[in-house]
Amino acid sequence: MKLARNAFWWIGLISLWWSSGCDTRAVSFNADIRPIINEQCASCHGGVKKNGGISLLTREDALAVGESGLRVIVPGKPDSSELYLRLIHPHADMRMPLEKDPLSKDEIELFRKWIEQGAPWEKHWAFVPLTKPATFRGIDRYVQDRLQIEGLEAAPQAHPAQLIRRLSLDLIGLPPQGDFSLPHSGNWEDSIYHDFVNSLLASPHFGEKWASMWLDLARYADSQGYQKDRFRSIWAYRDWVIEALNRDLPFDQFTIEQLAGDLLEQPDTSQLIATAFHRNTMSNDEGGTDNEEFRVAAVIDRVNTTFEVWQGITMGCVQCHDHPYDPFPQQDFYQIYAYFDQSADADYSSDHPVLTAFSPVQKKQKDQLVQWLNDWEGAADDSLFVHRTQLAHSLVPTRTPIMQELPDSLRRTTRLFERGNWLVHGPEMFPLPPAALSMMPDSFPANRLGLAQWLVHPDNPLTARVFVNRIWEQLFGQGLVPSLEDFGAQGSKPVHQALLDELAWRFMHVHQWSIKALIKEIILSDTYRRAATGNEQSWEQDPANQFYSRGPRFRLSAEQIRDQVLAVSGLLNLEMYGPSVMPPQPEGVWQVIRHVLRWKTSPGTQRYRRAIYTFSRRSSPYPPSITFDAPSRELCVSRRIRTNTPLQALVTLNDSIYHEAAWKLSLTVASELEEQDATSMVQALYHRCFYTKPSPDQVEILRHLYRETKAAYEAAPELLLAFGQGADVTASQAAWAQLTLSLFNTDAFLNKT
């Protein structure tokens, strides 16, 4: 029997040797071996389970001796390697993987050759340090070369009217405003295009648009979260983000101030407010809760958020065990935890510690008032004086939660949590970043400032890659690495890895971490300027547009949809900064949660502020926003998943803001036209919405819609009362408002093309 088993074993070896032929190609661990390990082996021999004392998470693990006393891999000797012998074992109860189909002959042969070649272990591509490219090829060269390989033809440049709208929505989050001296067809001159781009980058509304992405990552909200979900005064942090983006604060400094502004030498008020990034963690003041439990939960969230935002790494599972697929042992989590464990906050309902100070806008207003009062010697109009005095007294300093370290006498001892249980402590842990990424320079302090400096150090392989990928996703609708939140072995592999690496290196060393310079480099490319409509082959062969043969086309964000309808109608209030506002929302939305807070619609034009200023309550977010996939901000969100549901149409057809905007725009256009014939009205309304002229067919369709709608109102005049505009509403006015509402609901209005 033993002889027969050995015969089968040798027959298997000979068969594999024969099938291998003379192929001497080097086997790549990343391309050939790691995917098989992750799919077939890691569930039993990874970072969670280590059956038989065997783990294939790192090379050191793989070269070790298992519980059987045999070495898993002997480099250069597949016939002495337990891993290989188990792959070809003739008996199912001994052959790996257990309870699965055997690996194919080709897969087994890859393992044999790999071990024979010394079992070289490569770093995952994202963990390899960035190096200066031998030559800079640029976005268009990388993309065009790939298009040639795929046999795809690039789409022509988009029409200038489309590019105007695309650029405006991308850079300031608003549709184009004003008239532009640009061609109606053909290509733009580079100088005109560059000037337009520069004007948008310099706009104060740039920061408002790009802050939305960052506030998702920062889990910014105006409430504390959990059951009571009380009010939290943290809007000064939101304003800091907008202002920092507007002044193009370099991303390395942007990082350091948010993670450790309080640890800088003589930090100013702005740098202290920046640290509210990590005070966006939730706090729970429900009766009977354990403050230490929820303080620990906040620190854990800070670890997970920091590494998702700056490293694109999923560290959450490492709280309980080694990472299943990436080289991060459990102690890595608690060494990072140690950086955040010394903060003074401790789940207090008061949000202590807080900074009591005027926001930058308040300070400017206060200084102006003080100057005016100092110069005042007696005015004829005392009521002017009374008004300004009252205004001065209304400028109450804000109380913003900030990060602050404990004094040395109160410092905590950080310990590993056994199986992630905060009540079961293991060995003491000290601050240190993951060794699998890059070494911590000896000169960096062992606190949050040192961690922040490590994150933006040129040797860190991930920070620049991850952020460049976020910017690319905002502009093209998908990242060069589609899994923005996961750059690990189980994340998406980039189609254009060399392009990502070149952009990341340039972001650090050429652009000096300038976010605006990075964005400008991308939007000046031909790849960005292409028309969103490709040929039939493009759509069939590359439906997801991962090769970028055509321009970006995707649904606008919740903020852009709201801001756009207010902007084109003329209702938008462009006032910047300050406390969050409450636009209209249906009655009773907050009745499902405890009535600690009340929704009170903001007066006057405050209800028409940009969406970035809308009050955000975690347990009950603003309904139109979440309907269009805005997150509740309870946790860090790297990527909003775009959905398509009937609820979205119910918002854009029925929400009071859309009705007000449709009414306002239709009346405004009618008052501006000298001749209010149907064709002129259709053309003017269409141009206001899309910054281009409608085709003759579109004009006829819209004229027909107007005639039918007007006739319906004339047949049932009682329907006119639904507009709430009084008894003087005519059927014609109502029909134009309904036509305008229809334009707000078109694919072209709700999408960026």
Side-chain angles (χ1 to χ4, degrees), residues 695-737:
S695 68
D697 288 344
Q698 289 172 323
V699 170
E700 186 52 41
I701 291 171
L702 292 171
R703 279 169 50 110
H704 180 71
L705 174 61
Y706 165 70
R707 289 192 298 266
E708 284 197 337
T709 308
K710 180 183 177 184
Y713 280 123
E714 289 173 338
E718 67 275 8
L719 296 177
L720 298 174
L721 297 176
F723 281 90
Q725 301 292 328
D728 298 331
V729 175
T730 67
S732 177
Q733 290 173 329
W736 285 123

Side-chain angles (χ1 to χ4, degrees), residues 602-619:
S602 298
T605 61
Q606 288 294 302
R607 68 181 67 189
Y608 305 130
R609 298 275 305 276
R610 291 194 69 172
I612 192 80
Y613 300 110
T614 297
F615 190 94
S616 174
R617 190 177 190 186
R618 289 182 161 112
S619 57

Side-chain angles (χ1 to χ4, degrees), residues 218 239 246 262 286 324 428 521 639 641 691:
D239 288 359
N246 275 337
D262 59 309
E286 183 181 357
E428 185 173 359
E521 178 173 359
R639 178 171 45 137
I641 305 300
Y691 204 72

Side-chain angles (χ1 to χ4, degrees), residues 259-260 263 334-343 405-406 408 411-412 414 429-433 440-454:
L259 292 180
L263 299 176
Y334 293 96
Q335 289 174 167
I336 302 165
Y337 184 100
Y339 283 110
F340 298 102
D341 199 25
Q342 305 306 326
S343 58
E405 292 289 86
L406 288 170
D408 290 341
R411 290 184 69 81
R412 304 181 181 98
T414 302
M429 295 283 109
F430 300 93
L432 198 66
M440 170 67 81
D442 293 337
S443 59
F444 288 2
N447 56 22
R448 284 182 284 113
L449 179 58
L451 177 64
Q453 292 170 331
W454 172 82

Side-chain angles (χ1 to χ4, degrees), residues 302-317:
R302 288 166 190 166
V303 173
N304 294 334
T305 296
T306 300
F307 272 74
E308 179 172 340
V309 170
W310 277 278
Q311 304 289 272
I313 294 297
T314 54
M315 292 296 288
C317 56

Side-chain angles (χ1 to χ4, degrees), residues 402-449:
I402 60 170
M403 293 292 282
Q404 189 179 91
E405 292 289 86
L406 288 170
D408 290 341
S409 60
L410 298 177
R411 290 184 69 81
R412 304 181 181 98
T413 298
T414 302
R415 296 189 179 277
L416 182 144
F417 298 163
E418 298 289 351
R419 297 189 177 184
N421 186 339
W422 72 283
L423 294 173
V424 183
H425 293 176
E428 185 173 359
M429 295 283 109
F430 300 93
L432 198 66
L437 297 179
S438 64
M439 298 300 293
M440 170 67 81
D442 293 337
S443 59
F444 288 2
N447 56 22
R448 284 182 284 113
L449 179 58

Side-chain angles (χ1 to χ4, degrees), residues 516-532:
K516 289 187 177 182
L518 169 63
I519 292 173
K520 185 175 181 179
E521 178 173 359
I522 297 173
I523 61 179
L524 291 183
S525 69
D526 289 339
T527 302
Y528 174 84
R529 297 195 228 184
R530 287 177 184 146

